[in-house]
Amino acid sequence: MTRAFRTAAVIGAGTIGLSWATLFAAHGLTVRVTDPRPDLAEAVAEALDRNAPQLAARGLDVTGLADRVHLAADVAEAVRDADVVQENGPERVEFKQDLFATLVREAPDHALLLSSSSAIPSSAFTPELPDEAAARVLIGHPFNPPHLVPLVEVVPGERTGEDAVQDAVDFYTSVGRTPVVERKEIPGFVGNRLQNALSREAVYLVEQGVVTPEDLDKVMTNSLGLRWATVGPFLGSHLGGGPGGYRHMAEHIGASMKQMWAGLGTPSQTDEEQERLIEAVEKAYGSSTYPELTETRDRRQLAVLSALDSADKEEN
Ligand SMILES: NC(=O)c1ccc[n+]([C@@H]2O[C@H](COP(=O)([O-])OP(=O)(O)OC[C@H]3O[C@@H](n4cnc5c(N)ncnc54)[C@H](O)[C@@H]3O)[C@@H](O)[C@H]2O)c1
């Protein structure tokens, strides 16, 4: 039977934590947020103001949203009555190791303990926990911003229990996300490995003077980005092979594809190259502020999600 998740603790209220907090509250959960940052109250209020209209545009009832989000003075207070904890602190093994030891001590025994970690697998920060505690720790890695981008990579550690994996899938589904369970811990998980494979080539192409950062972004958003919002790389190739499908693609274009893989670049990214790249990106986007750029990104992201909803409705 699916477990009930009524109270969530959000540990760390930076980019990711603030977004999760709004999403959980918009799905009716009581949320307790903690972060040592001195401007926590303002940051939470500002995030709720910014994100609530976006969630309303996704069809959620955001009435009383702010009343469900509470500030907690510390981790112990945040997790005291939590059914689920989402950790979003700094990406450092020692930090997560200390924090999860506290979570195990302070949270109720039934609480599901999730980490947003982008690259560190949970086995790396749970070695000192007893089996029964490690059994309920796992990764729930979102994509930024998690209140809009649906994917959550659910990655169990070596000692995570199967019931915790199912609970995590149920929990993320209940807050409108699309969980995908990944069965082997690998640094960066799947999404960030794919992203980094692409970033490596993007940086190489800019370093080589083939394209500017702005034009590279234009290539992505006007081709692969659009395509990949509708079909992933494998279905894309299956269709790219025509009626003969992936087999035709692999057997006929496979050899030239392998040749292309062998010629992919590795950027040098010496300090000078890195500085040159930073300056080129700042030249392209530095005249807009962070709120301006995120507002535009979120508006366009919402438009894509709504368009996909409409297309799927027409099909059904
Ligand atoms: N930014 C992204 O695109 C992204 C995407 C997916 C996952 N993540 C992961 O999410 C986590 C958080 O990333 P972020 O980008 O939100 O970082 P961030 O730097 O914006 O936020 C981290 C927050 O943790 C707080 N913090 C520090 N010590 C703490 C403590 N003892 N207790 C509670 N909070 C504490 C900091 O004050 C800060 O506000 C990381 O593990 C990161 O890898 C980030």
Side-chain angles (χ1 to χ4, degrees):
M1 205 180 69
T2 306
R3 259 178 59 178
F5 294 99
R6 295 195 183 85
T7 302
V10 169
I11 312 298
T15 311
I16 297 300
L18 290 169
S19 175
W20 274 134
T22 329
L23 179 80
F24 297 162
H27 281 272
L29 277 87
T30 297
V31 182
R32 301 199 198 288
V33 187
T34 193
D35 189 310
R37 61 188 287 179
D39 63 341
L40 178 62
E42 295 82 11
V44 168
E46 199 259 329
L48 294 177
D49 276 357
R50 188 181 59 243
N51 298 341
Q54 298 174 355
L55 290 170
R58 296 294 299 138
L60 292 173
D61 180 3
V62 293
T63 325
L65 181 82
D67 300 335
R68 289 193 287 281
V69 181
H70 307 276
L71 307 186
D74 54 28
V75 172
E77 185 184 319
V79 304
R80 194 164 297 143
D81 59 353
D83 299 310
V84 57
V85 178
Q86 183 83 43
E87 176 274 323
N88 323 273
E91 184 77 350
R92 281 189 285 109
V93 177
E94 314 75 56
F95 169 83
K96 295 198 194 283
Q97 200 162 340
D98 286 354
L99 184 79
F100 276 81
T102 308
L103 295 181
V104 164
R105 212 170 44 242
E106 303 291 347
D109 287 346
H110 73 276
L112 187 60
L113 307 177
L114 299 158
S115 169
S116 294
S117 164
S118 298
I120 308 173
S122 62
S123 297
F125 54 81
T126 52
E128 309 209 322
L129 296 183
D131 284 352
E132 63 278 15
R136 55 193 174 111
V137 177
L138 69 168
I139 303 292
H141 172 247
F143 274 70
N144 188 34
H147 70 281
L148 293 183
V149 183
L151 178 70
V152 185
E153 295 179 278
V154 172
V155 191
E158 286 155 13
R159 292 185 294 153
T160 306
E162 229 7 78
D163 47 347
V165 176
Q166 189 55 51
D167 286 346
V169 167
D170 292 343
F171 170 62
Y172 288 124
T173 305
S174 75
V175 291
R177 303 300 83 193
T178 304
V180 171
V181 179
E182 296 170 5
R183 286 292 170 187
K184 223 176 192 177
E185 289 181 305
I186 184 167
F189 313 124
V190 174
N192 269 329
R193 290 182 77 91
L194 291 172
Q195 179 161 257
N196 275 291
L198 197 90
S199 295
R200 183 173 68 179
E201 186 62 21
V203 170
Y204 176 76
L205 291 170
V206 173
E207 250 187 21
Q208 293 295 308
V210 176
V211 74
T212 63
E214 207 171 9
D215 279 345
L216 187 129
D217 283 355
K218 218 181 268 178
V219 168
M220 274 305 295
T221 52
N222 286 281
S223 61
L224 297 174
L226 280 177
R227 177 190 289 167
W228 287 342
T230 62
V231 294
F234 286 111
L235 178 54
S237 296
H238 187 52
L239 299 174
Y246 195 80
R247 176 172 297 283
H248 179 76
M249 188 72 151
E251 288 174 356
H252 294 266
I253 309 179
S256 72
M257 241 160 42
K258 282 180 202 155
Q259 226 170 28
M260 176 92 94
W261 292 345
L264 289 175
T266 301
S268 74
Q269 282 296 280
T270 56
D271 289 352
E272 296 75 43
E273 288 288 4
Q274 177 170 311
E275 185 53 34
R276 221 193 315 273
L277 180 61
I278 292 170
E279 282 170 16
V281 174
E282 286 174 350
K283 181 164 170 244
Y285 300 117
S287 60
S288 302
T289 63
Y290 176 71
E292 283 166 354
L293 291 171
T294 52
E295 195 274 327
T296 305
R297 175 199 64 192
D298 292 350
R299 189 161 33 81
R300 290 169 68 88
Q301 191 71 79
L302 274 170
V304 172
L305 290 167
S306 306
L308 289 172
D309 282 351
S310 308
D312 290 344
K313 260 187 217 124
E314 274 167 34
E315 191 181 271
N316 293 324

